[in-house]
């Protein structure tokens, strides 16, 4: 069964709306989770590393104020796309895992901004 | 920074035949992990196989095996007895042993012909 749960799987909303995506580790504690963005027919691009109890580490070029990450507990990280616009439409996917184990991925969230 | 290169955007194989997907990477680290992930149209990320850099023996998982050449920084995936269900995008990934950071190649789209 899934060890990382991501919700929602699909979001369609109007431009200007803020959207929150949740990523939960189901059977282990994850001090670190990762958020990726994937454009059609492209690879996964790391957006940020979510650290439990501290600020996220963002990759170069990723707007911190646009993509807010909160990792309030060892099993939950959230990504909020603030004031979303059509160019933010994409597939967002999270992952989590212990240091010496493979990363487990959520099933992803398809975000469409109208 | 670590980079992962997959030089084959698309590959095709006949059902029951064998295909090899190429991957090279660049790193100055001595301890790391390498992965192959499969992404079917559902966009789930499915772990295919994993290799620890400190292990000389090539990893094998049923019909999937790797050719890990550490000195050459090469990590190819061989799929034997290809099945229709193997058709998907395949991503090679590098993960540092020091910070859990994972980087993906651009991907190879595998088509399996009946």
């Amino acid at each position: 069964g899934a060890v990382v749960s991501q919700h929602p799987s699909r979001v369609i909303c109007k431009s200007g709306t803020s959207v929150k995506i949740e990523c939960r580790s189901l059977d282990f504690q994850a001090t670190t989770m990762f958020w990726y963005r994937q454009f059609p027919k492209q690879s996964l691009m790391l957006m940020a590393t979510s650290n439990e109890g501290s600020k996220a580490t963002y990759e170069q070029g990723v707007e911190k104020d646009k993509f807010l990450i909160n990792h309030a507990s060892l099993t939950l990280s959230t990504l909020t796309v603030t004031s979303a616009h059509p160019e933010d439409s994409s597939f967002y996917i999270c992952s989590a895992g212990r240091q010496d184990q493979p990363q487990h991925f959520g099933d992803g969230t398809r975000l469409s901004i109208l | 920074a670590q980079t992962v290169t997959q030089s084959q955007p698309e590959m095709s194989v006949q059902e029951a035949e064998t295909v090899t997907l190429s991957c090279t990477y660049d790193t100055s680290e001595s301890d790391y992990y390498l992965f192959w992930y499969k992404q079917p149209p559902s966009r789930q990320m499915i772990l295919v196989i994993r290799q620890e850099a400190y292990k000389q023996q090539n990893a094998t998982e049923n019909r999937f095996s790797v050719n890990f050449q550490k000195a050459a920084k090469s990590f190819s995936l061989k799929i034997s007895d290809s099945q229709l269900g193997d058709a998907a995008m395949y991503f090679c990934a590098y993960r540092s042993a020091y910070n859990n950071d994972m980087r993906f190649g651009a991907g190879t789209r595998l088509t399996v012909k009946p």
Side-chain angles (χ1 to χ4, degrees):
Chain A
V3 294
V4 174
S5 173
Q6 187 172 341
H7 179 80
S9 58
R10 184 83 162 97
V11 179
I12 303 173
C13 58
K14 294 181 179 179
S15 184
T17 306
S18 291
V19 178
K20 180 184 283 188
I21 303 170
E22 293 187 348
C23 181
R24 294 181 184 272
S25 58
L26 299 181
D27 61 356
F28 63 96
Q29 294 181 331
T31 55
T32 305
M33 292 184 177
F34 300 91
W35 288 97
Y36 298 86
R37 183 173 181 175
Q38 186 179 28
F39 291 104
K41 298 185 180 181
Q42 294 190 23
S43 186
L44 279 71
M45 291 179 52
L46 180 65
M47 298 175 64
T49 302
S50 175
N51 305 300
E52 188 269 336
S54 65
K55 292 182 179 181
T57 305
Y58 289 83
E59 294 298 301
Q60 191 173 9
V62 177
E63 298 178 59
K64 300 177 183 181
D65 296 332
K66 162 67 75 174
F67 300 101
L68 298 180
I69 291 173
N70 185 276
H71 195 152
S73 76
L74 286 170
T75 58
L76 174 64
S77 175
T78 60
L79 168 67
T80 301
V81 184
T82 61
S83 187
H85 291 283
E87 58 266 28
D88 298 324
S89 298
S90 191
F91 187 71
Y92 294 87
I93 190 166
C94 70
S95 73
R98 297 187 185 90
Q99 179 68 24
D100 60 341
Q101 296 295 317
Q103 292 284 307
H104 296 282
F105 288 83
D107 287 344
T109 298
R110 190 181 304 275
L111 176 62
S112 299
I113 307 299
L114 305 178
Chain B
Q2 297 81 26
T3 58
V4 180
T5 302
Q6 292 179 251
S7 58
Q8 306 155 315
E10 296 183 355
M11 289 286 284
S12 179
V13 64
Q14 204 70 34
E15 193 177 8
E17 297 295 311
T18 296
V19 65
T20 298
L21 307 184
S22 301
C23 174
T24 59
Y25 59 95
D26 187 27
T27 185
S28 58
E29 297 177 336
S30 59
D31 196 10
Y32 50 87
Y33 304 91
L34 297 165
F35 306 87
W36 278 97
Y37 281 91
K38 170 185 178 181
Q39 189 180 45
S42 67
R43 304 191 83 167
Q44 283 181 300
M45 292 292 286
I46 302 167
L47 177 65
V48 175
I49 201 164
R50 168 196 184 192
Q51 175 81 42
E52 290 90 345
Y54 60 85
K55 289 187 177 179
Q56 292 186 333
Q57 187 172 5
N58 289 324
T60 300
E61 285 289 339
N62 301 314
R63 297 183 295 108
F64 299 88
S65 62
V66 298
N67 184 1
F68 174 46
Q69 301 290 327
K70 190 172 184 179
K73 296 180 182 174
S74 171
F75 182 61
S76 61
L77 174 70
K78 185 171 82 172
I79 306 174
S80 304
D81 186 25
S82 297
Q83 300 176 359
L84 295 177
D86 294 334
M89 279 291 287
Y90 285 82
F91 292 102
C92 178
Y94 171 103
R95 195 181 90 198
S96 170
Y98 304 100
N99 60 19
N100 229 9
D101 199 341
M102 182 173 279
R103 306 287 168 168
F104 289 86
T108 297
R109 181 173 300 280
L110 178 67
T111 302
V112 181
K113 297 179 179 179

